[in-house]
């Protein structure tokens, strides 16, 4: 039972940074912008969080700063692709590389020093229940926050006029412009939001998941988040399921390594990535679903006509 | 009483062209006012100026006696001016009511809005299910969504830009009933069209434009078609001449029981298509856009060449798995619907564009293109088909629609094909060039070539086709002879209902 609880809670925690980053990217892509730079924005978020904590800030403001740093780096990308209409693929890749460099610079003095970790929130009464308590009610606040964000984003995209506007801007910016919506401004907002979410995801890694700074500590999670959005066919619930799959495989392979399974640890470490991609590819084979939810203008620059 | 709308001396210049030159007109309340003119006469520019989407260089717009200083689409809406675009501004992946919610200034309350949509659509006889996703709708239904969207705003002036180009003849009649109903309630309507018969049937006043200037104002119900046409074109419209056809014994292009599922969800599945085109005849395919034409074209041209195309034979050879290039080698030529981007590379000159499909005509030696020969070929096309271009080094996109279409059709004809597939031969082409292209296609067929034309312009198909099929929802009707081609028969087939299965027209009208 203890092992099950450990694997379950480990899965939820390992999935959290992905959930933040992928949900943010989902909103960005729904508005028709492809930001490949999630990895870079997560690293900037992670390094900013560590820097803030070492500068004496409490954990919560440190997370807010990480979100801001992620948003600012995303806005750099936004200026390039929305105002100057550069190629979104190239600009996104540049952001990924830029983020890696900047984060290494921010974090250069904190190599492997443990940071103050985010405390768990032991929810009164519910958290004291046997089994149920440790399974559901003893996480840190960011885990709960990730679920609140999931609910908010799903509600916003599919139940509000604002979400409808974001989706239609992603389908046909020309039509949205023709009926009078400020396409570029809307896309700036979603891009900044996506950056903030990636920043929080990065901060989660460096002050909750493994409370220390290591260069390149995201280890490809930004790219997995990117793949999650595509293979989840741009639907929030599937993003969550995919993130849990990744988290679950991460924890299982760690347990496997601890138990000394006779497989090289490098192979085990690659399992979460391989398994997530394979499962998601199989799920996303339904072309009808893919086409219906695909933001038709994804990755295409938009130039408002006269 | 003030006129609903008054234009005084509107001028609009673009680099190289004067789109509108001193245009004045007056629209009274409750009047159906036609703006009649050819493609390129400046109609669409004028409508955009009225709606505020483009600004005039000079001139005044007065609405209900009030001079409009700084114009914009949102000001138009607050003044009660609504516009139905020729190309709809609808979002495919969301529902009808959500589309409408995006452009009305009402509280975002989907159930309440749905009720209102149903109410308005029933009141004006435009049946519409607010919950359906737009991509499931036919083009005619999409237009209904646009019109209902405008009507929800209780407009005082409704602008319609070529609204009937996407409708079956029966649906046109229904639209006219709706517009008359609307006008009787005091709403003014600006009806943009190049179709004389429609304007004569519907409109109270017609302002005729040619080359950006007003060439006349008339009461279309009292004027003859010839009078209106002369104002519109400036000369008599050339007539095409059609000799009886002498079809070859065996079909050159033959399609038997072709079924193919669409490559994407927004496409149309083709079901059991049978079609023969003999040498020496012109066969037409009529139908409202989006009923499988694009899918059929890509299968015949070879842009899609999987084994579904085994059902297509070219000079007796099955084409399954044969690429577009291999089919061209068998004697197929193809003029696609889009001139820029598919028929020609917009930024390349005519010489290079000639080489795109004519490279088989001895232009390539040892894998290298002989550009001198490509230029000669282009020169020959320019000369023989009267393309108004300075020479082979003219950039394709600098040509007018009619001239570029003449060049592309000419290029394909100069390849001496055995069969030619032409999609929308005269879309957006001025009347003179259109008549020339039609006559060229007739002459080509009478020289023994099998000609297949896919078009949405019924008048054009009636004019030049020896036999006519109708495509509806991925199914192709049997062939109609020239004597069987009437607006009624073709219109019924366009709604997807066979004459035999349903004798009355009422059914089709409710579609």
């Amino acid at each position: 039972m203890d092992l099950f609880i450990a694997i379950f809670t480990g899965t939820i925690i390992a999935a959290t940074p992905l959930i933040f980053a992928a949900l943010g990217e989902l909103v960005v892509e729904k508005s028709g912008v492809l930001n490949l730079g999630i990895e870079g924005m997560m690293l900037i978020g992670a390094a900013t969080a560590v820097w803030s904590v070492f500068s004496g800030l409490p954990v919560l403001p440190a997370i807010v700063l990480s979100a801001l740093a992620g948003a600012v780096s995303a806005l750099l990308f936004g200026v390039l692709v929305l105002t100057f209409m550069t190629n979104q693929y190239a600009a996104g890749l540049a952001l990924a590389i830029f983020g890696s460099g900047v984060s290494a610079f921010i974090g250069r003095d904190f190599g492997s020093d443990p940071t103050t970790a985010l405390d768990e929130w032991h929810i009164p009464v519910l958290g004291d229940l046997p089994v149920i308590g440790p399974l559901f009610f003893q996480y840190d606040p960011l885990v709960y926050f990730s679920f609140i964000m999931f609910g908010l984003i799903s509600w916003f995209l599919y139940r509000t006029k604002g979400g409808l506007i974001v989706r239609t801007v992603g389908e046909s910016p020309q039509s949205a412009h023709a009926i009078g919506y400020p396409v570029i401004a809307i896309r700036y907002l979603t891009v900044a939001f996506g950056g903030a979410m990636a920043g929080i995801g990065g901060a989660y890694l460096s002050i909750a998941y493994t409370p220390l700074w290591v260069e390149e500590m995201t280890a490809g999670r930004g790219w997995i988040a990117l793949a999650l959005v595509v293979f989840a066919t741009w639907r929030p619930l599937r993003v969550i399921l995919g993130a849990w799959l990744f988290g679950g495989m991460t924890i299982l392979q760690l347990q496997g390594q601890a138990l000394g399974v006779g497989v090289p640890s490098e192979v085990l470490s690659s399992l979460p990535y391989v398994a997530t991609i394979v499962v998601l590819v199989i799920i996303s084979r339904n072309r009808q679903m893919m086409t219906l939810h695909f933001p038709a203008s994804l990755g295409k620059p938009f130039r408002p006509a006269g | 009483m003030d006129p609903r709308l008054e234009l005084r001396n509107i001028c609009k210049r673009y680099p190289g062209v004067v789109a509108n030159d001193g245009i004045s007109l007056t629209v009274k309340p409750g009047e159906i006012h036609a703006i009649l003119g050819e493609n390129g006469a400046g109609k669409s520019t004028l409508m955009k100026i009225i709606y505020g989407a483009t600004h005039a260089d000079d001139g005044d717009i007065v609405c209900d006696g009030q001079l409009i200083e700084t114009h914009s689409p949102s000001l138009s809406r607050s003044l009660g001016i609504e516009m139905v675009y020729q190309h709809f501004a609808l979002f495919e992946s969301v529902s009808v009511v959500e589309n409408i919610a995006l452009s009305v200034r009402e509280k975002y309350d989907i159930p309440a809005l749905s009720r209102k949509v149903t109410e308005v659509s029933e009141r004006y006889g435009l049946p519409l299910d607010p919950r359906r996703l737009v991509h499931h709708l036919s083009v005619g239904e999409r237009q209904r969504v646009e019109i209902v969207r405008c009507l929800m705003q209780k407009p005082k002036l409704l602008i319609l830009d070529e609204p009937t180009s996407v409708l079956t003849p029966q649906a046109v009649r229904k639209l006219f009933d709706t517009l008359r109903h609307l006008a009787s309630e005091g709403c003014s309507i600006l009806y943009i069209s190049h179709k004389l018969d429609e304007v004569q049937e519907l409109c109270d006043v017609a302002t005729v434009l040619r080359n950006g200037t007003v060439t006349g104002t008339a009461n279309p119900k009292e004027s003859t078609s010839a009078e209106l046409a002369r104002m519109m074109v400036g000369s008599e419209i050339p007539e095409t001449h059609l000799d009886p056809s002498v079809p070859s014994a065996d079909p050159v292009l033959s399609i038997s029981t072709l079924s193919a599922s669409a490559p994407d969800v927004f496409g149309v599945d083709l079901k059991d298509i049978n079609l023969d085109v003999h040498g020496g005849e012109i066969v037409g395919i009529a139908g409202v856009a989006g009923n499988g034409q694009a899918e059929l074209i890509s299968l015949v041209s070879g842009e899609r060449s999987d084994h579904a195309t085994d059902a297509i034979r070219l000079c007796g050879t099955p084409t399954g798995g044969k690429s577009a290039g291999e089919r061209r080698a068998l004697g197929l030529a193809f003029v696609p619907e889009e001139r820029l981007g598919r028929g020609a590379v917009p930024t390349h000159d005519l010489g290079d564009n000639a080489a795109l499909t004519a490279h088989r005509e001895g232009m390539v030696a040892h894998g290298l293109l002989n550009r001198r020969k490509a230029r000669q070929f282009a020169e020959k096309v320019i000369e023989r088909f009267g393309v108004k271009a300075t020479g082979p080094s003219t950039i394709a996109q600098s040509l007018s629609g009619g001239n570029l279409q003449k060049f592309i059709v000419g290029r394909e004809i100069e390849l001496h094909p055995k069969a030619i597939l032409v999609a929308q031969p005269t879309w957006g082409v001025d009347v003179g060039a259109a008549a020339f292209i039609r006559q060229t296609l007739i002459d080509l067929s009478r020289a023994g070539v099998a000609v297949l034309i896919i078009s949405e312009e019924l008048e054009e198909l009636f004019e030049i086709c020896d036999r006519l099929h109708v495509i509806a929802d991925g199914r192709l009707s049997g062939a109609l002879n020239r004597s069987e081609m009437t607006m009624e028969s073709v219109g019924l087939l366009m709604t997807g209902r066979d004459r035999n299965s349903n004798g009355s027209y009422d059914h089709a009208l409710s579609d």
Side-chain angles (χ1 to χ4, degrees):
Chain A
M1 199 63 214
D2 285 349
L3 182 65
F4 173 73
I5 292 175
I7 290 176
F8 184 89
T9 55
T11 297
I12 300 286
I13 289 167
T16 300
L18 276 181
I19 291 178
F20 278 116
L23 284 178
E25 178 71 7
L26 183 135
V27 174
V28 180
E29 292 192 13
K30 269 290 182 191
S31 78
V33 180
L34 182 69
N35 185 350
L36 295 180
I38 309 174
E39 182 87 354
M41 298 186 294
M42 286 180 84
L43 281 168
I44 288 175
T48 306
V50 173
W51 176 83
S52 311
V53 168
F54 277 112
S55 309
L57 278 180
V59 175
L60 197 65
I63 292 168
V64 173
L65 265 187
S66 303
L68 276 177
V72 168
S73 61
L75 284 174
L76 280 180
F77 164 85
V79 170
L80 287 178
V81 303
L82 298 175
T83 300
F84 296 110
M85 280 169 270
T86 48
N87 182 300
Q88 296 186 6
Y89 296 81
L93 288 173
L95 175 60
I97 298 164
F98 170 77
S100 151
V102 169
S103 63
F105 176 71
I106 299 172
R108 72 193 187 287
D109 296 332
F110 318 119
S112 302
D113 298 339
T115 55
T116 9
L118 190 57
D119 287 329
E120 275 151 19
W121 246 8
H122 192 104
I123 293 179
V125 189
L126 288 172
D128 299 329
L129 293 172
V131 188
I132 306 282
L135 275 180
F136 298 110
F137 300 108
Q138 295 181 8
Y139 294 104
D140 58 74
L142 276 183
V143 170
Y144 302 113
F145 183 58
S146 73
F147 287 100
I148 293 173
M149 286 315 288
F150 161 70
L152 276 179
I153 287 171
S154 304
W155 171 78
F156 172 76
L157 279 179
Y158 295 100
R159 291 279 177 274
T160 68
K161 187 164 184 176
L164 180 62
I165 294 170
V166 167
R167 285 187 288 140
T168 50
V169 161
E171 184 191 313
S172 170
Q174 288 78 15
S175 299
H177 177 71
I179 54 177
Y181 289 107
V183 172
I184 300 294
I186 290 164
R187 287 185 166 178
Y188 263 113
L189 287 177
T190 62
V191 164
F193 175 77
M197 291 287 279
I200 297 173
Y204 190 81
L205 281 175
S206 67
I207 57 177
Y209 190 63
T210 47
L212 50 83
W213 167 253
V214 186
E215 267 185 43
E216 303 292 336
M217 68 183 301
T218 48
R221 284 184 180 79
W223 303 109
I224 285 289
L226 193 67
L228 269 181
V229 177
V230 178
F231 293 127
T233 58
W234 295 274
R235 276 178 296 173
L237 183 61
R238 286 195 171 187
V239 165
I240 301 278
L241 295 177
W244 281 343
L245 176 73
F246 180 85
M249 291 305 293
T250 308
I251 298 304
L252 280 178
Q253 62 91 10
L254 282 176
Q255 296 282 351
Q257 285 189 31
L259 292 172
V261 180
V263 180
S265 66
E266 289 82 359
V267 174
L268 283 176
S269 305
S270 72
L271 264 183
Y273 300 89
V274 175
T276 309
I277 297 291
V278 167
V279 170
L280 290 173
V281 165
I282 293 169
I283 293 174
S284 65
R285 276 197 316 182
N286 184 337
R287 282 181 78 159
Q288 182 142 358
M289 279 304 170
M290 202 75 176
T291 325
L292 265 181
H293 295 271
F294 171 68
S297 74
L298 186 63
K300 295 177 193 152
F302 169 69
R303 194 187 298 271
Chain B
M1 194 176 189
D2 285 324
R4 178 59 41 81
L5 178 79
E6 193 182 349
L7 300 184
R8 294 184 199 136
N9 203 24
I10 296 288
C11 295
K12 176 73 182 176
R13 281 170 290 271
Y14 288 110
V17 271
V18 181
N20 289 163
D21 188 8
I23 293 182
S24 302
L25 61 86
T26 307
V27 184
K28 296 192 199 82
E31 178 179 87
I32 306 184
H33 191 119
I35 305 289
L36 193 59
E38 276 207 73
N39 293 302
K43 292 174 295 182
S44 291
T45 305
L46 185 63
M47 290 313 115
K48 283 189 196 146
I49 290 171
I50 296 172
Y51 191 59
T54 308
H55 295 279
D57 298 332
D58 208 355
D60 295 328
I61 305 173
V62 182
C63 183
D64 284 324
Q66 182 192 346
L67 182 70
I68 295 176
E69 302 277 357
T70 45
H71 207 7
S72 72
S74 58
L75 178 65
S76 282
R77 290 209 203 130
S78 62
L79 289 170
I81 303 176
E82 293 286 336
M83 176 147 171
V84 178
Y85 284 93
Q86 190 175 5
H87 303 285
F88 309 138
L90 290 178
F91 303 98
E92 301 227 326
S93 65
V94 304
S95 70
V96 169
V97 63
E98 284 176 318
N99 264 291
I100 290 174
L102 280 167
S103 53
V104 299
R105 283 160 311 213
E106 267 164 65
K107 203 169 144 269
Y108 187 74
D109 177 352
I110 291 295
L113 213 51
S114 296
R115 281 192 297 276
K116 232 185 129 189
V117 169
T118 312
E119 184 194 304
V120 170
S121 69
E122 277 167 7
R123 192 158 139 235
Y124 291 97
L126 300 161
L128 210 54
D129 180 352
R131 287 160 307 174
R132 286 183 72 194
L133 294 186
V134 167
H135 80 90
H136 291 307
L137 303 184
S138 69
V139 190
E141 289 172 310
R142 286 174 197 214
Q143 186 182 52
R144 258 180 245 162
V145 179
E146 286 274 9
I147 294 175
V148 168
R149 168 154 96 179
C150 293
L151 295 185
M152 303 252 314
Q153 305 294 313
K154 303 195 176 64
K156 288 193 283 183
L157 174 66
L158 182 64
I159 307 172
L160 296 123
D161 191 358
E162 301 275 0
T164 58
S165 58
V166 296
L167 299 180
T168 62
Q170 283 84 358
V172 169
R173 247 175 275 158
K174 266 208 97 172
L175 174 69
F176 284 4
D177 288 342
T178 303
L179 295 181
R180 287 193 193 102
H181 178 181
L182 202 58
S184 72
E185 295 178 340
C187 176
S188 307
I189 293 168
L190 261 180
Y191 186 89
I192 309 169
S193 184
H194 67 273
K195 293 183 180 164
L196 295 173
D197 52 335
E198 289 178 359
V199 168
Q200 286 180 307
E201 186 187 336
L202 178 73
C203 301
D204 308 315
V205 185
T207 298
V208 188
L209 296 189
R210 186 172 78 231
N211 295 332
T213 55
V214 176
T215 51
T217 305
N219 180 339
K221 287 181 175 124
E222 288 168 6
S223 314
T224 64
S225 305
E227 285 165 1
L228 292 172
R230 211 171 301 123
M231 282 193 251
M232 208 168 116
V233 185
S235 57
E236 301 296 328
I237 298 173
E239 278 187 26
T240 49
H241 177 66
L242 188 71
D243 290 327
S245 72
V246 188
S248 61
D250 294 319
V252 177
L253 175 69
S254 149
I255 304 176
S256 58
T257 61
L258 168 72
S259 295
S261 50
D264 69 285
V265 277
F266 297 138
V268 177
D269 296 339
L270 297 179
K271 295 150 203 133
D272 193 25
I273 297 219
N274 291 289
L275 174 73
D276 279 333
V277 190
H278 296 258
E281 68 171 352
I282 300 184
V283 174
I285 297 181
V288 176
N291 271 288
Q293 290 95 328
E295 289 77 6
L296 183 61
I297 288 168
S298 69
L299 282 166
V300 173
S301 71
E303 286 170 336
R304 185 180 158 199
S305 60
D306 52 37
H307 282 280
T309 66
D310 265 334
I312 303 173
R313 286 167 172 268
L314 203 58
C315 307
T317 315
T319 59
K322 284 202 173 19
S323 69
E326 287 168 314
R327 291 179 204 207
R328 281 180 173 272
L330 285 174
L332 178 73
F334 171 44
V335 179
E337 178 181 323
E338 304 93 344
R339 283 186 283 277
L340 291 172
R342 207 159 148 216
V345 181
T347 53
H348 285 191
D349 67 25
L350 295 181
D352 286 353
N353 271 301
L356 281 181
T357 64
H359 56 85
R360 279 180 196 77
E361 308 284 298
M363 283 181 200
V364 180
H366 314 295
L368 295 176
L369 180 68
N370 184 337
R371 299 186 70 145
R372 197 172 51 82
K373 283 195 177 164
R375 292 175 64 84
Q376 282 169 354
F377 186 94
E379 257 164 35
K380 190 166 71 180
V381 172
I382 291 169
E383 195 180 322
R384 217 194 116 190
F385 295 91
V387 180
K388 280 181 205 136
T390 45
S393 47
T394 309
I395 302 297
Q397 65 188 5
S398 71
L399 261 58
S400 74
N403 275 307
L404 185 58
Q405 186 72 355
K406 280 202 235 173
F407 179 80
I408 294 170
V409 171
R411 176 185 75 191
E412 298 300 305
I413 289 175
E414 282 299 310
L415 301 175
H416 309 295
K418 296 192 179 74
I420 185 167
L421 167 64
V422 188
Q424 307 292 357
T426 59
W427 198 340
V429 168
D430 58 281
V431 172
F436 178 85
I437 289 169
R438 285 178 197 145
Q439 190 62 51
T440 305
L441 291 171
I442 292 170
D443 296 344
L444 184 69
S445 80
R446 296 314 178 241
V449 176
V451 181
L452 177 60
I453 292 178
I454 298 180
S455 173
E456 286 166 42
E457 298 262 352
L458 287 183
E459 292 83 357
E460 166 173 282
L461 292 168
F462 288 180
E463 189 180 326
I464 64 175
C465 291
D466 298 304
R467 290 188 297 129
L468 185 64
H469 294 262
V470 178
I471 192 166
D473 194 27
R475 291 176 203 279
L476 195 67
S477 74
L480 300 173
N481 296 323
R482 284 194 68 81
S483 61
E484 296 170 309
M485 294 178 200
T486 62
M487 280 290 174
E488 277 70 29
S489 62
V490 173
L492 271 182
L493 290 169
M494 280 162 86
T495 64
R497 288 179 184 85
D498 214 272
R499 275 174 302 174
N500 303 332
S501 65
N502 196 319
S504 86
Y505 291 164
D506 301 348
H507 232 84
L509 286 177
S510 65
D511 190 67

